[in-house]
Amino acid sequence: MLFSFKSVSVVVLVTFEYLLCTVRTETFSKMTAPPKHKGVFFKKQTGLNKTIPYSENPGKEMIVFDVDGTLWPYQIDSDPIFQDPFIIKGLDNGTVFVGNQTIHIFPEVEETLLELIEKGYVLAAVSMTNSTHKTMAVLNAFDLTKHFKHMEMAPGPDKLSLVTELQEKSNIDYDCILFLMYTYTRSEIHGLLDLDVSTLPVGVDGVSRGLVANALFIFSTRKRPGDIGDDGPLPPTTESQIQRKDRLRQKKEEQKKIKKHNKSKNPKRKKESQPFI
């Protein structure tokens, strides 16, 4: 009887230890497994800092990055470091060499792109460049291409044409596109706004979570063309300078007409002269 009890105890202990090891192994594998890139994520709790808002329409809102000056502090066509002979090497620790010089991306680029994907935004990269192969080589060296669903690299004719190409390929509405760029012309800004593309210039510090969070706040307050009545003014965030001047001029003319109409309807009576006493 004693032998039997000891045998049962040993079997129970071995079984329990086996189950415990199995649970530990499964838990450990879940914790250490790399996150799978699904392209679009929905609301869930993660360890990321919640500074960037979720997309209102996951998979249908796109953020476009003009890579020079936004992802890295270089202009690949003009900076001497990228002149021929062009030799680039990326190390496993994330360090990238062009020739004998180290180059870098802005500090918060990687985590910002990851959080944007998690929040449901489609990401795209563009560059108006004569050195497409160099731009792609830099993106690959920093392992950034995996974050972008669409990419357009071409010498021109302008950035507006690159965004138009992205819209046709992605089939995402123009008013659901946010374009972040460093260098721009007045005509490019007006052209983008006329297409209802939201745009925000990026400063010398490049892309960061704070900048993107502010840009998306403006983006979320935009009014789409369908939300604006025929007789209503365009919101300041989506109208060009020319459109704004025309709107203000029309508003001023309408106010003059109303004032004139009210005057004709209620003419002022002349005061009767009172006799001097």
Side-chain angles (χ1 to χ4, degrees):
M1 182 71 180
L2 181 62
F3 177 76
S4 177
F5 178 75
K6 285 183 178 180
S7 301
V8 172
S9 299
V10 170
V11 171
V12 170
L13 286 172
V14 170
T15 306
F16 179 77
E17 184 63 22
Y18 172 78
L19 291 173
L20 184 60
C21 289
T22 305
V23 171
R24 283 177 179 170
T25 304
E26 289 177 356
T27 306
F28 182 74
S29 64
K30 287 179 182 177
M31 290 173 63
T32 57
K36 294 181 180 179
H37 188 294
K38 296 181 181 178
V40 173
F41 294 79
F42 295 92
K43 293 188 179 182
K44 60 181 181 180
Q45 296 298 321
T46 67
L48 293 173
N49 191 354
K50 303 299 178 182
T51 57
I52 295 175
Y54 281 93
S55 170
E56 294 179 1
N57 300 290
K60 296 181 180 179
E61 292 183 325
M62 181 163 63
I63 303 176
V64 182
F65 295 87
D66 184 16
V67 294
D68 285 350
T70 62
L71 302 184
W72 49 65
Y74 311 107
Q75 300 294 320
I76 290 180
D77 278 355
S78 58
D79 285 357
I81 187 175
F82 299 102
Q83 291 179 358
D84 293 327
F86 175 76
I87 301 172
I88 188 168
K89 183 179 181 182
L91 304 183
D92 292 338
N93 62 1
T95 306
V96 176
F97 291 95
V98 173
N100 295 323
Q101 297 188 50
T102 307
I103 63 172
H104 64 278
I105 56 177
F106 287 113
E108 296 186 10
V109 164
E110 182 80 22
E111 57 189 293
T112 301
L113 297 180
L114 283 170
E115 189 169 350
L116 285 169
I117 293 169
E118 184 221 358
K119 299 300 176 65
Y121 298 97
V122 176
L123 303 188
V126 300
S127 181
M128 197 173 76
T129 177
N130 294 312
S131 308
T132 301
H133 64 290
K134 294 180 182 179
T135 303
M136 289 301 300
V138 176
L139 284 168
N140 283 321
F142 285 112
D143 199 23
L144 294 176
T145 51
K146 65 184 179 184
H147 301 310
F148 298 109
K149 190 171 183 180
H150 305 284
M151 289 184 285
E152 282 294 324
M153 312 286 165
D158 52 31
K159 292 178 183 178
L160 186 62
S161 65
L162 300 180
V163 174
T164 303
E165 287 289 329
L166 284 176
Q167 193 280 327
E168 290 178 358
K169 287 183 177 180
S170 66
N171 202 29
I172 293 175
D173 295 336
Y174 281 117
D175 59 359
C176 291
I177 297 175
L178 172 63
F179 189 23
L180 301 177
M181 56 183 173
Y182 179 64
T183 57
Y184 55 90
T185 64
R186 186 182 294 271
S187 61
E188 285 173 340
I189 291 288
H190 287 174
L192 290 167
L193 294 176
D194 289 341
L195 286 175
D196 297 313
V197 173
S198 299
T199 181
L200 184 75
V202 176
V204 294
D205 295 327
V207 164
S208 65
R209 291 226 297 271
L211 180 136
V212 171
N214 291 334
L216 287 171
F217 172 75
I218 297 171
F219 186 57
S220 66
T221 61
R222 74 196 184 283
K223 287 187 178 178
R224 302 181 184 183
D227 299 333
I228 303 170
D230 295 335
D231 56 345
L234 289 169
T237 54
T238 59
E239 64 182 349
S240 67
Q241 189 175 7
I242 296 172
Q243 289 174 318
R244 184 173 181 272
K245 284 182 179 179
D246 288 342
R247 176 172 61 80
L248 293 176
R249 179 180 53 78
Q250 290 175 4
K251 187 178 179 181
K252 196 172 182 180
E253 288 177 358
E254 287 174 1
Q255 288 175 344
K256 281 184 179 179
K257 286 180 182 178
I258 292 170
K259 193 173 180 181
K260 189 175 180 181
H261 176 73
N262 291 338
K263 259 188 178 182
S264 62
K265 196 173 181 181
N266 300 307
K268 290 183 179 179
R269 294 181 180 178
K270 292 183 179 180
K271 292 184 179 179
E272 295 180 3
S273 57
Q274 297 292 332
F276 179 74
I277 301 175

